[in-house]
Amino acid sequence: MAKKSEQLSARQRQIMQFIRHFTAERGYMPSYREIGDAVGLSAVASVSYQLKQLSDNGYLSRDENISRSIDLKIDLPDSEASPWNVEEENQIPIGDAALIPLVGRIAAGGPITAEQNISEYYPVSRQLTGKGDFFLLTVSGDSMIDAAICDGDLVVIRKQPTAENGDIVAALLNDEATVKTFRQRDGHTWLLPQNSAYEPIVGDHATIMGKVVSVLRKL
Amino acid sequence: MAKKSEQLSARQRQIMQFIRHFTAERGYMPSYREIGDAVGLSAVASVSYQLKQLSDNGYLSRDENISRSIDLKIDLPDSEASPWNVEEENQIPIGDAALIPLVGRIAAGGPITAEQNISEYYPVSRQLTGKGDFFLLTVSGDSMIDAAICDGDLVVIRKQPTAENGDIVAALLNDEATVKTFRQRDGHTWLLPQNSAYEPIVGDHATIMGKVVSVLRKL
DNA sequence: CCATCTTTCGAACGTTTGTTCGATTTAGAA
DNA sequence: TTCTAAATCGAACAAACGTTCGAAAGATGG
């Protein structure tokens, strides 16, 4: 008789992987006939048979008489492990959007997105942010006006501890958050305003909070 | 009465949330009858009707004649202890956001947000838009650079047939959409670029599509 | 070789499911 | 009020779907 947790047969592995790919692409489960077509089983009953084995061994579950009710319990490794494991501590993804906290006062020391600093969450399209861990800052002053960033603008900042030359960053300098262009030269870190009325700042002791990835403005 | 149906009725919101809960619990999509039972629609056809609306507006997709093939495009937050939340007015509120269509080519004549023009929906915080009926336009060129609106920026436009002096508007001029500052003087309508390299345009024959209320930029 | 178990097949069956159509009700504007 | 569009209903229908059953083909071991 079929014994306990036997190893999966080639066919069963084939089915498991097809289900995974199908759901990834289409967003819902395949029917028995679709599975059969994909793995080369001409009889629905054969699919039913294999699915019963998989179900009995805990690889998946399904609800009787309900179409497309397969529920995979195990992700059979195809190959990959994704290195893009971003820690999201405060965002709740809304479909195509991310909820990003607007940070009020910036206090040196503690975590930037500590709860008491958050006044509100803004939904922002992922198209505008990309992947990562974000927070929002309200721009104060017009030191970045030549970069088309105005007083009152909201900037979406992806948390990261450093930056590349030319990036616009949010930095913590003397307990104050500021948005400037990042530049390293002569062994020094500079925070450059984009407004000829302002002078470059030596940022050697500044803390880079993250990189500005989007700008939001309400007129 | 605009037949736009770009908004989310209480019932549609109800359906969206039920689908989300159902899939979270069961691991697959509900059938039309299950949806009907849950939200109080005794006729499958009514569910079909509502689902078509949701599908047309990009909230979900489904494959014809395939059971349980609903694919949610947006996760509506539960939000409510008061499920029968009615806030009609205009755009689709996602919790705190509105889903706004990005309009591609602008053709004179037909409705701006005709379906074939819409390439995608962006969630935008209501804080950035206020109330109204909106669409999104991609800015082309740097004629508004002094207003801190750059090439490639997305502008949120509230539909309105006219504007006030000083408003930044989207106007249709010779089958082309353009973003300029609106000004009426000497009995003429002017569309002013905010870039000294460009000349003011006589906008007497231009069609005002709406007013720019927000700017979104991905860096 | 035979015996046994596994796997596949094909067909039939009953159920589930999405669609269609016309009629009715509801809601809002004129 | 009357008119129009949206929303709902009910019934009927065809397609899609999972289950069952008997038979046949492989596979494995003695």
Side-chain angles (χ1 to χ4, degrees), chain A residues 32-33 45 62 65 67-68:
Chain A
Y32 286 20
R33 283 168 178 86
R62 59 206 171 124
N65 290 316
S67 58
R68 301 177 186 274

Side-chain angles (χ1 to χ4, degrees), chain B residues 201-216:
Chain B
I201 301 168
V202 180
D204 290 338
H205 298 100
T207 305
I208 303 297
M209 296 191 292
K211 174 183 173 179
V212 174
V213 296
S214 309
V215 180
L216 314 176

Side-chain angles (χ1 to χ4, degrees), chain B residues 29-168:
Chain B
M29 308 298 162
S31 69
Y32 286 21
R33 275 162 250 260
E34 286 165 338
I35 294 174
D37 289 347
V39 304
L41 284 175
S42 66
V44 218
S46 304
V47 179
S48 182
Y49 172 83
Q50 293 291 5
L51 249 32
K52 175 163 170 39
Q53 309 303 317
L54 289 167
S55 174
D56 286 347
N57 290 339
Y59 281 89
L60 51 83
S61 68
R62 56 202 175 128
D63 289 359
E64 286 192 5
N65 291 317
I66 293 190
S67 59
R68 302 177 186 274
S69 64
I70 298 170
D71 190 8
L72 283 192
K73 297 302 184 190
I74 289 153
D75 274 359
L76 290 195
D78 281 319
S79 67
E80 84 285 348
S82 50
W84 312 159
N85 172 359
V86 190
E87 57 179 305
E88 292 299 332
E89 268 321 292
N90 270 308
Q91 205 72 22
I92 319 147
I94 310 183
D96 216 0
L99 261 197
I100 302 184
L102 172 60
V103 175
R105 305 176 312 283
I106 303 279
I112 303 166
T113 47
E115 201 152 331
Q116 73 259 20
N117 297 335
I118 299 175
S119 52
E120 194 167 12
Y121 285 86
Y122 275 71
V124 181
S125 169
R126 280 237 170 252
Q127 301 271 11
L128 291 171
T129 65
K131 290 213 165 197
D133 197 5
F134 307 97
F135 62 98
L136 279 168
L137 224 50
T138 302
V139 174
S140 174
D142 55 358
S143 69
M144 294 297 283
I145 193 73
D146 288 345
I149 297 177
C150 313
D151 185 59
D153 281 4
L154 291 175
V155 285
V156 180
I157 297 160
R158 185 177 60 222
K159 295 183 190 173
Q160 53 185 65
T162 182
E164 297 177 17
N165 274 337
D167 284 354
I168 298 178

Side-chain angles (χ1 to χ4, degrees), chain B residues 165 183-190 192:
Chain B
N165 274 337
R183 175 134 305 163
Q184 280 185 317
R185 187 161 34 180
D186 315 323
H188 286 285
T189 297
W190 293 88
L192 309 179

